[in-house]
Amino acid sequence: MAYQQGLYPVLQKENLAKNIFSLTIYCPGIAAEAQPGQFVHLRVPAHILRRPISIAEIDRKQGTIRIIYEIRGEGTKILADLKAGDMADVLGPLGHGYTLLDSDKKCVVVGGGIGVPPLLAVAEHYGANASAIIGFRSAQAAILENDFKKAGVRTVLCTDDGTMGQKGFVTNALEKLLQSETPDLICACGPMVMLRKVTEIAKVHGIACEISLEERMACGVGACLGCACRINRNGKECVLHVCKDGPVFQGEEVVF
Ligand SMILES: Cc1cc2nc3c(=O)[nH]c(=O)nc-3n(C[C@H](O)[C@H](O)[C@H](O)COP(=O)(O)OP(=O)(O)OC[C@H]3O[C@@H](n4cnc5c(N)ncnc54)[C@H](O)[C@@H]3O)c2cc1C
Ligand code: FES
């Protein structure tokens, strides 16, 4: 496995929304290997277990990756103190990312909430051949719309309460979009209920679909059985590791 661990400088920090932060980290070795959908495992000072955070953007030329995270508990609260000039203890890139087709193929990315960031790197690969459907609880939680648009991606923003963009769920917007176009691949990340529905919609339309699962993690490299998930592969149900075999799986393989 081509992952690395080290202390790397934080070049930039941004506050994207309430309790949501973006860090650009200079780690050329990790940036050189990283693929959209993979994640890094961040050490939290004074804590044994690292915290998994998806890679949101990869800039191999600059030797940087960007990560975006929301404060959920103690670990991410401490990580929110990191600022430009600090050193971050990063292990990565880890896991198995999304399939990248040739960039002239058509891809639709569907993200919900803090599941949106890893899809930015996917959409950037396809540029104008990608459509992004991104959904948030409300305007206050909305992030990254301009980043998708800057990459030339047709972007539909949805909010549950209608305070920004279209009112409603991303799955309604996906069904609408599939009435007029047939992408080669759908990539999704977000809450389990959303992933299940996206997988069902893709199946009805006969479109390949990859989804990123979230599971509690300890080692992050397949050594502790801490992140087991049930997958139906080759007609047989088996237990795989979200950290090593995923986090991205074929939607139809996942036992919801
Ligand atoms: C592959 C992957 C990618 C992720 N990418 C992102 C991202 O890009 N942005 C983001 O904001 N969040 C992301 N998460 C979720 C993030 O890892 C959790 O929010 C974070 O670990 C919570 O830690 P905490 O100490 O703040 O919370 P606490 O609840 O205090 O954590 C306690 C323990 O539970 C584990 N834990 C708690 N919740 C989760 C969870 N949902 N998933 C995994 N472990 C958890 C922690 O590692 C820790 O060991 C990702 C999770 C996975 C598995
Ligand atoms: S977190 Fe240890 S096996 Fe996945």
Side-chain angles (χ1 to χ4, degrees):
M1 267 180 285
Y3 60 80
Q4 307 176 21
Q5 182 267 322
L7 285 171
Y8 301 99
V10 174
L11 299 186
Q12 200 185 349
K13 179 185 189 183
E14 280 176 90
N15 188 183
L16 301 185
K18 188 167 183 247
N19 289 335
I20 302 182
F21 299 92
S22 161
L23 294 185
T24 303
I25 303 173
Y26 179 71
C27 48
I30 294 176
E33 295 291 333
Q35 293 294 326
Q38 289 190 298
F39 65 96
V40 291
H41 224 15
L42 290 184
R43 197 176 103 75
V44 181
H47 285 67
I48 295 168
L49 294 180
R50 289 172 177 267
R51 302 298 191 267
I53 302 292
S54 303
I55 297 169
E57 282 191 289
I58 305 154
D59 187 335
R60 296 204 170 85
K61 244 187 178 157
Q62 300 293 327
T64 60
I65 60 164
R66 184 182 184 198
I67 56 170
I68 293 162
Y69 55 92
E70 181 172 29
I71 298 180
R72 291 238 189 115
E74 206 187 309
T76 41
K77 189 160 187 279
I78 295 170
L79 289 173
D81 288 337
L82 279 169
K83 53 188 187 311
D86 287 347
M87 301 299 275
D89 186 331
V90 185
L91 170 70
L94 298 177
H96 174 84
Y98 292 98
T99 301
L100 290 183
L101 304 174
D102 290 343
S103 57
D104 60 351
K105 298 282 184 195
K106 293 216 173 325
C107 177
V108 175
V109 301
V110 187
I114 203 63
V116 170
L119 298 169
L120 180 57
V122 178
E124 283 174 342
H125 170 76
Y126 296 96
N129 289 317
S131 297
I133 302 173
I134 55 177
F136 306 93
R137 283 186 312 279
S138 69
Q140 281 116 331
I143 54 168
L144 298 178
E145 184 186 18
N146 287 336
D147 298 72
F148 280 97
K149 287 187 169 164
K150 221 163 70 189
V153 177
R154 279 166 300 144
T155 307
V156 178
L157 187 142
C158 310
T159 48
D160 300 353
D161 63 2
T163 48
M164 195 174 172
Q166 290 182 13
K167 186 174 191 300
F169 295 136
V170 288
T171 43
N172 300 127
L174 176 64
E175 276 178 319
K176 200 166 155 212
L177 185 139
L178 295 182
Q179 284 169 11
S180 57
E181 56 182 274
T182 307
D184 298 289
L185 180 65
I186 296 173
C187 297
C189 184
M192 210 58 177
V193 55
M194 183 206 103
L195 296 179
R196 182 181 194 154
K197 183 77 184 154
V198 170
T199 302
E200 281 168 13
I201 295 170
K203 196 170 173 195
V204 167
H205 288 263
I207 300 165
C209 173
E210 298 188 351
I211 61 175
S212 182
L213 299 184
E214 205 180 277
E215 196 41 81
R216 287 180 176 251
M217 283 183 188
C219 73
V221 295
C224 75
L225 288 174
C227 62
C229 66
R230 288 189 301 145
I231 295 293
N232 209 325
R233 194 165 276 179
N234 304 324
K236 265 203 303 203
E237 193 173 307
C238 50
V239 174
L240 296 181
H241 298 111
V242 171
C243 69
K244 190 171 66 119
D245 307 302
V248 177
F249 292 96
Q250 305 289 331
E252 59 186 17
E253 288 185 329
V254 175
V255 181
F256 285 100

Short mmCIF file of all heavy atoms in Angstrom, two decimals, residues 116-151:
data_model
loop_
_atom_site.label_atom_id
_atom_site.label_comp_id
_atom_site.label_asym_id
_atom_site.label_seq_id
_atom_site.Cartn_x
_atom_site.Cartn_y
_atom_site.Cartn_z
N VAL A 116 -20.54 15.95 0.65
CA VAL A 116 -20.28 16.63 -0.63
C VAL A 116 -18.77 16.75 -0.94
O VAL A 116 -18.36 16.55 -2.10
CB VAL A 116 -20.98 18.02 -0.65
CG1 VAL A 116 -20.53 18.85 -1.84
CG2 VAL A 116 -22.49 17.85 -0.65
N PRO A 117 -17.89 17.07 0.03
CA PRO A 117 -16.49 17.36 -0.31
C PRO A 117 -15.77 16.34 -1.19
O PRO A 117 -15.14 16.75 -2.19
CB PRO A 117 -15.82 17.52 1.07
CG PRO A 117 -16.91 18.06 1.93
CD PRO A 117 -18.16 17.38 1.46
N PRO A 118 -15.81 15.01 -0.94
CA PRO A 118 -15.02 14.12 -1.80
C PRO A 118 -15.48 14.13 -3.25
O PRO A 118 -14.72 13.75 -4.16
CB PRO A 118 -15.23 12.73 -1.17
CG PRO A 118 -16.44 12.85 -0.32
CD PRO A 118 -16.50 14.28 0.13
N LEU A 119 -16.72 14.58 -3.50
CA LEU A 119 -17.24 14.59 -4.87
C LEU A 119 -16.68 15.73 -5.69
O LEU A 119 -16.76 15.72 -6.92
CB LEU A 119 -18.77 14.63 -4.82
CG LEU A 119 -19.37 13.42 -4.12
CD1 LEU A 119 -20.85 13.61 -3.87
CD2 LEU A 119 -19.13 12.14 -4.93
N LEU A 120 -16.10 16.73 -5.01
CA LEU A 120 -15.49 17.84 -5.74
C LEU A 120 -14.32 17.33 -6.59
O LEU A 120 -14.19 17.66 -7.77
CB LEU A 120 -15.04 18.92 -4.75
CG LEU A 120 -14.38 20.16 -5.35
CD1 LEU A 120 -15.29 20.85 -6.37
CD2 LEU A 120 -13.99 21.14 -4.25
N ALA A 121 -13.48 16.48 -6.00
CA ALA A 121 -12.33 15.94 -6.74
C ALA A 121 -12.80 15.08 -7.91
O ALA A 121 -12.17 15.07 -8.97
CB ALA A 121 -11.44 15.12 -5.80
N VAL A 122 -13.91 14.36 -7.74
CA VAL A 122 -14.44 13.53 -8.82
C VAL A 122 -14.93 14.45 -9.95
O VAL A 122 -14.59 14.27 -11.12
CB VAL A 122 -15.63 12.66 -8.33
CG1 VAL A 122 -16.22 11.85 -9.48
CG2 VAL A 122 -15.21 11.75 -7.19
N ALA A 123 -15.72 15.46 -9.58
CA ALA A 123 -16.31 16.36 -10.58
C ALA A 123 -15.22 17.11 -11.34
O ALA A 123 -15.33 17.34 -12.54
CB ALA A 123 -17.27 17.33 -9.90
N GLU A 124 -14.14 17.48 -10.64
CA GLU A 124 -13.06 18.21 -11.31
C GLU A 124 -12.42 17.36 -12.41
O GLU A 124 -11.95 17.88 -13.41
CB GLU A 124 -12.00 18.65 -10.28
CG GLU A 124 -12.49 19.85 -9.46
CD GLU A 124 -11.55 20.24 -8.33
OE1 GLU A 124 -10.69 19.42 -7.94
OE2 GLU A 124 -11.69 21.38 -7.84
N HIS A 125 -12.41 16.05 -12.23
CA HIS A 125 -11.85 15.15 -13.25
C HIS A 125 -12.66 15.24 -14.55
O HIS A 125 -12.09 15.22 -15.64
CB HIS A 125 -11.84 13.71 -12.71
CG HIS A 125 -11.51 12.69 -13.75
ND1 HIS A 125 -10.22 12.47 -14.20
CD2 HIS A 125 -12.30 11.82 -14.45
CE1 HIS A 125 -10.24 11.51 -15.12
NE2 HIS A 125 -11.49 11.11 -15.29
N TYR A 126 -14.00 15.33 -14.43
CA TYR A 126 -14.85 15.34 -15.63
C TYR A 126 -15.16 16.75 -16.13
O TYR A 126 -15.61 16.92 -17.27
CB TYR A 126 -16.17 14.60 -15.33
CG TYR A 126 -15.99 13.14 -15.01
CD1 TYR A 126 -15.92 12.69 -13.69
CD2 TYR A 126 -15.86 12.20 -16.04
CE1 TYR A 126 -15.73 11.35 -13.39
CE2 TYR A 126 -15.67 10.86 -15.75
CZ TYR A 126 -15.62 10.43 -14.43
OH TYR A 126 -15.43 9.11 -14.15
N GLY A 127 -14.93 17.77 -15.31
CA GLY A 127 -15.18 19.17 -15.70
C GLY A 127 -16.58 19.37 -16.25
O GLY A 127 -17.57 19.01 -15.61
N ALA A 128 -16.65 19.90 -17.48
CA ALA A 128 -17.96 20.21 -18.08
C ALA A 128 -18.78 18.96 -18.37
O ALA A 128 -19.98 19.06 -18.66
CB ALA A 128 -17.75 21.02 -19.35
N ASN A 129 -18.17 17.77 -18.31
CA ASN A 129 -18.93 16.53 -18.52
C ASN A 129 -19.55 16.01 -17.22
O ASN A 129 -20.13 14.93 -17.21
CB ASN A 129 -18.04 15.46 -19.14
CG ASN A 129 -17.72 15.80 -20.57
OD1 ASN A 129 -18.61 16.22 -21.32
ND2 ASN A 129 -16.47 15.66 -20.95
N ALA A 130 -19.38 16.75 -16.15
CA ALA A 130 -19.98 16.34 -14.87
C ALA A 130 -21.18 17.22 -14.54
O ALA A 130 -21.22 18.39 -14.91
CB ALA A 130 -18.94 16.44 -13.75
N SER A 131 -22.14 16.62 -13.85
CA SER A 131 -23.21 17.40 -13.22
C SER A 131 -23.12 17.09 -11.74
O SER A 131 -22.88 15.94 -11.35
CB SER A 131 -24.59 16.95 -13.72
OG SER A 131 -24.70 17.18 -15.09
N ALA A 132 -23.31 18.12 -10.92
CA ALA A 132 -23.30 17.90 -9.47
C ALA A 132 -24.66 18.26 -8.90
O ALA A 132 -25.22 19.31 -9.22
CB ALA A 132 -22.22 18.77 -8.83
N ILE A 133 -25.16 17.36 -8.07
CA ILE A 133 -26.40 17.65 -7.32
C ILE A 133 -26.00 17.60 -5.86
O ILE A 133 -25.61 16.54 -5.34
CB ILE A 133 -27.50 16.61 -7.64
CG1 ILE A 133 -27.78 16.58 -9.15
CG2 ILE A 133 -28.76 16.91 -6.86
CD1 ILE A 133 -28.73 15.47 -9.57
N ILE A 134 -26.02 18.76 -5.22
CA ILE A 134 -25.53 18.82 -3.84
C ILE A 134 -26.64 19.35 -2.93
O ILE A 134 -27.33 20.30 -3.28
CB ILE A 134 -24.24 19.68 -3.73
CG1 ILE A 134 -24.43 21.08 -4.31
CG2 ILE A 134 -23.09 18.97 -4.45
CD1 ILE A 134 -23.20 21.98 -4.15
N GLY A 135 -26.81 18.68 -1.79
CA GLY A 135 -27.94 19.04 -0.92
C GLY A 135 -27.50 19.30 0.51
O GLY A 135 -26.57 18.67 1.02
N PHE A 136 -28.22 20.24 1.13
CA PHE A 136 -27.91 20.63 2.52
C PHE A 136 -29.21 20.87 3.27
O PHE A 136 -30.26 21.10 2.66
CB PHE A 136 -27.06 21.91 2.52
CG PHE A 136 -25.82 21.77 1.66
CD1 PHE A 136 -25.81 22.17 0.33
CD2 PHE A 136 -24.67 21.19 2.18
CE1 PHE A 136 -24.70 22.01 -0.47
CE2 PHE A 136 -23.54 21.02 1.39
CZ PHE A 136 -23.56 21.43 0.06
N ARG A 137 -29.11 20.86 4.60
CA ARG A 137 -30.29 21.12 5.43
C ARG A 137 -30.89 22.49 5.12
O ARG A 137 -32.07 22.64 4.94
CB ARG A 137 -29.90 21.08 6.92
CG ARG A 137 -29.71 19.70 7.49
CD ARG A 137 -29.49 19.77 9.00
NE ARG A 137 -28.49 20.77 9.38
CZ ARG A 137 -27.17 20.58 9.34
NH1 ARG A 137 -26.69 19.42 8.95
NH2 ARG A 137 -26.33 21.54 9.70
N SER A 138 -29.98 23.50 5.08
CA SER A 138 -30.45 24.87 4.86
C SER A 138 -29.30 25.68 4.28
O SER A 138 -28.17 25.19 4.17
CB SER A 138 -30.87 25.47 6.21
OG SER A 138 -29.71 25.66 6.99
N ALA A 139 -29.58 26.95 3.97
CA ALA A 139 -28.57 27.83 3.37
C ALA A 139 -27.33 27.93 4.26
O ALA A 139 -26.21 28.00 3.76
CB ALA A 139 -29.16 29.21 3.13
N GLN A 140 -27.56 27.91 5.59
CA GLN A 140 -26.41 28.10 6.50
C GLN A 140 -25.40 26.96 6.42
O GLN A 140 -24.24 27.13 6.78
CB GLN A 140 -26.87 28.21 7.97
CG GLN A 140 -27.40 29.56 8.33
CD GLN A 140 -28.86 29.45 8.70
OE1 GLN A 140 -29.55 28.55 8.18
NE2 GLN A 140 -29.34 30.31 9.58
N ALA A 141 -25.85 25.77 5.99
CA ALA A 141 -24.95 24.61 5.94
C ALA A 141 -24.38 24.38 4.53
O ALA A 141 -23.60 23.46 4.32
CB ALA A 141 -25.70 23.37 6.41
N ALA A 142 -24.78 25.23 3.58
CA ALA A 142 -24.40 25.00 2.17
C ALA A 142 -22.93 25.37 1.94
O ALA A 142 -22.47 26.43 2.37
CB ALA A 142 -25.29 25.83 1.25
N ILE A 143 -22.22 24.48 1.29
CA ILE A 143 -20.79 24.70 1.00
C ILE A 143 -20.47 24.28 -0.44
O ILE A 143 -21.18 23.46 -1.03
CB ILE A 143 -19.86 23.91 1.97
CG1 ILE A 143 -20.22 22.42 1.97
CG2 ILE A 143 -19.92 24.49 3.38
CD1 ILE A 143 -19.19 21.53 2.66
N LEU A 144 -19.41 24.83 -0.97
CA LEU A 144 -18.72 24.37 -2.20
C LEU A 144 -19.45 24.61 -3.52
O LEU A 144 -18.93 24.20 -4.57
CB LEU A 144 -18.34 22.88 -2.09
CG LEU A 144 -17.37 22.52 -0.96
CD1 LEU A 144 -17.13 20.99 -0.95
CD2 LEU A 144 -16.03 23.24 -1.12
N GLU A 145 -20.62 25.26 -3.53
CA GLU A 145 -21.32 25.47 -4.81
C GLU A 145 -20.39 26.17 -5.81
O GLU A 145 -20.27 25.74 -6.97
CB GLU A 145 -22.58 26.30 -4.60
CG GLU A 145 -23.38 26.46 -5.89
CD GLU A 145 -24.57 27.39 -5.77
OE1 GLU A 145 -24.63 28.19 -4.80
OE2 GLU A 145 -25.45 27.33 -6.65
N ASN A 146 -19.71 27.23 -5.36
CA ASN A 146 -18.84 27.98 -6.29
C ASN A 146 -17.65 27.16 -6.75
O ASN A 146 -17.16 27.34 -7.86
CB ASN A 146 -18.37 29.29 -5.64
CG ASN A 146 -19.51 30.28 -5.58
OD1 ASN A 146 -20.46 30.17 -6.37
ND2 ASN A 146 -19.46 31.20 -4.63
N ASP A 147 -17.15 26.26 -5.90
CA ASP A 147 -16.00 25.41 -6.29
C ASP A 147 -16.40 24.48 -7.43
O ASP A 147 -15.62 24.26 -8.36
CB ASP A 147 -15.51 24.59 -5.09
CG ASP A 147 -15.01 25.49 -3.98
OD1 ASP A 147 -15.86 26.14 -3.32
OD2 ASP A 147 -13.79 25.57 -3.77
N PHE A 148 -17.61 23.89 -7.35
CA PHE A 148 -18.07 23.03 -8.45
C PHE A 148 -18.23 23.86 -9.72
O PHE A 148 -17.81 23.45 -10.80
CB PHE A 148 -19.41 22.36 -8.08
CG PHE A 148 -19.26 21.16 -7.18
CD1 PHE A 148 -19.42 21.29 -5.81
CD2 PHE A 148 -18.95 19.91 -7.69
CE1 PHE A 148 -19.27 20.19 -4.96
CE2 PHE A 148 -18.81 18.81 -6.86
CZ PHE A 148 -18.97 18.95 -5.49
N LYS A 149 -18.83 25.05 -9.58
CA LYS A 149 -19.07 25.89 -10.76
C LYS A 149 -17.75 26.34 -11.38
O LYS A 149 -17.62 26.39 -12.60
CB LYS A 149 -19.93 27.10 -10.36
CG LYS A 149 -21.38 26.69 -10.10
CD LYS A 149 -22.26 27.89 -9.88
CE LYS A 149 -23.74 27.48 -9.88
NZ LYS A 149 -24.59 28.52 -9.31
N LYS A 150 -16.78 26.64 -10.53
CA LYS A 150 -15.46 27.07 -11.03
C LYS A 150 -14.81 25.96 -11.87
O LYS A 150 -14.04 26.23 -12.80
CB LYS A 150 -14.55 27.40 -9.84
CG LYS A 150 -13.71 28.63 -10.06
CD LYS A 150 -13.13 29.21 -8.81
CE LYS A 150 -12.05 28.36 -8.21
NZ LYS A 150 -11.61 28.79 -6.90
N ALA A 151 -15.13 24.71 -11.56
CA ALA A 151 -14.56 23.58 -12.32
C ALA A 151 -15.37 23.32 -13.60
O ALA A 151 -15.12 22.33 -14.30
CB ALA A 151 -14.54 22.34 -11.44
#
